[in-house]
């Protein structure tokens, strides 16, 4: 079946502008995660949605970052007043409900460049 | 907070040979899960292998196997019969049930023909 999809693939924006990144999880996956990957580094957790529970926002680096999810479907990550240090690949992952543990399946990411 | 450390920024292996990538982690939990992900230039994170901490037996997936040493908090990945397609970034990751993954900084694997 279809995997996790993300759009856009690449985004170039000017410092100070707002951007929205989109993630479409695998159908039936109630858990959804956003990660950030700076150049040459590992992934950093940003935010986690699980069904109708309150999201875990503990990884968001500042109040310029926010995310929403509509039910168990699409999620958008919004970065307001972008800064050059926001330049990175933003990866989304989804998984089945985690009673024990479930594999996270990743999308191809959105590469964000802030000029 | 949990941390994951990959001490080898780059590794190189001859095609058909065996290579081992190192990973150590720090946690006070007794029940957790460990993963190795592969990231080729396409950016797509691909699960290579996974291990539950309560299982003593090391996980194996075809040419990929792990050496899980719980007391030492070590989780190395062995790739046997290396192929050109194995060239990629490899990330070690840790999670407790239902939580986000904590990743190491990655190891770039180069495969020489």
């Amino acid at each position: 079946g279809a995997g996790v999809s993300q759009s856009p693939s690449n985004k170039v924006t000017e410092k100070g502008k707002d951007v929205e990144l989109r993630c479409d999880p695998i159908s039936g996956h109630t858990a959804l995660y956003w990660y950030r990957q700076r150049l040459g580094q590992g992934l950093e957790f940003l935010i986690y949605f699980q069904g109708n529970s309150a999201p875990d926002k503990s990884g968001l680096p500042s109040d310029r970052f926010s995310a929403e999810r509509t039910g168990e479907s699409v999620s958008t990550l919004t970065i307001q007043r972008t800064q050059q240090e926001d330049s990175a690949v933003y990866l989304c992952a989804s998984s089945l409900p985690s009673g024990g543990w479930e594999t996270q399946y990743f999308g191809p990411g959105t590469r964000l460049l802030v000029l | 907070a949990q941390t994951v450390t990959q001490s080898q920024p780059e590794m190189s292996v001859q095609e058909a040979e065996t290579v081992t990538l190192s990973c150590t982690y720090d946690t006070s939990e007794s029940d957790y899960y460990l993963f190795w992900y592969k990231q080729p230039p396409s950016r797509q994170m691909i699960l290579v292998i996974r291990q539950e901490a309560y299982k003593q037996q090391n996980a194996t997936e075809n040419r990929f196997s792990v050496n899980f040493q719980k007391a030492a908090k070590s989780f190395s990945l062995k790739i046997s019969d290396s192929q050109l397609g194995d060239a990629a970034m490899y990330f070690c990751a840790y999670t407790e049930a239902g939580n986000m993954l904590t990743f190491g900084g990655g190891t770039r694997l180069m495969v020489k023909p």
Side-chain angles (χ1 to χ4, degrees):
Chain A
V4 178
S5 61
Q6 292 186 246
S7 60
S9 296
N10 296 281
K11 176 72 176 178
V12 180
T13 190
E14 294 179 348
K15 178 180 173 181
K17 295 283 181 69
D18 298 352
V19 295
E20 274 193 3
L21 312 180
R22 177 187 169 107
C23 172
D24 282 90
I26 294 172
S27 178
H29 281 194
T30 59
L32 187 147
Y33 305 79
W34 283 98
Y35 295 89
R36 176 173 70 180
Q37 185 178 27
R38 290 193 163 122
L39 186 63
Q41 298 184 20
L43 281 69
E44 306 168 79
F45 165 72
L46 296 177
I47 189 169
Y48 160 47
F49 296 90
Q50 173 61 279
N52 294 320
S53 301
D56 178 353
K57 303 180 181 179
S58 60
L60 295 179
S62 77
D63 58 9
R64 296 186 296 104
F65 287 72
S66 63
E68 292 185 351
R69 188 178 186 195
T70 306
E72 296 180 356
S73 61
V74 171
S75 176
T76 55
L77 176 69
T78 300
I79 309 173
Q80 295 179 311
R81 306 180 302 281
T82 51
Q83 304 294 313
Q84 289 181 333
E85 62 261 30
D86 299 334
S87 296
V89 175
Y90 290 82
L91 290 152
C92 173
S94 72
S95 72
L96 289 167
S98 184
W101 62 284
E102 294 291 344
T103 297
Q104 293 184 24
Y105 295 89
F106 284 81
T110 294
R111 183 181 299 280
L112 175 65
L113 178 61
V114 183
L115 300 176
Chain B
Q2 290 78 19
T3 58
V4 178
T5 303
Q6 294 179 248
S7 59
Q8 306 152 317
E10 282 191 1
M11 291 286 285
S12 179
V13 63
Q14 204 72 34
E15 195 175 6
E17 297 294 310
T18 296
V19 65
T20 299
L21 308 184
S22 300
C23 173
T24 58
Y25 57 94
D26 186 25
T27 183
S28 57
E29 300 295 325
S30 60
D31 194 16
Y32 50 87
Y33 311 92
L34 297 163
F35 304 83
W36 279 98
Y37 277 89
K38 170 184 177 181
Q39 187 181 41
S42 66
R43 297 199 309 244
Q44 188 81 45
M45 296 287 283
I46 302 164
L47 179 68
V48 174
I49 198 164
R50 59 193 182 193
Q51 174 85 42
E52 296 107 310
Y54 66 85
K55 288 188 177 179
Q56 292 186 334
Q57 185 173 6
N58 289 323
T60 299
E61 289 287 342
N62 301 314
R63 299 183 295 108
F64 300 87
S65 62
V66 298
N67 183 5
F68 174 47
Q69 300 290 327
K70 191 172 184 178
K73 296 179 183 175
S74 170
F75 183 61
S76 61
L77 174 69
K78 185 171 83 171
I79 306 174
S80 304
D81 185 26
S82 296
Q83 301 175 359
L84 295 177
D86 294 334
M89 286 291 293
Y90 285 81
F91 292 95
C92 178
Y94 163 104
T95 188
E96 298 151 24
N99 284 325
M100 73 289 190
L101 292 164
T102 300
F103 286 86
T107 297
R108 180 176 303 281
L109 177 66
M110 294 173 286
V111 181
K112 298 178 181 178

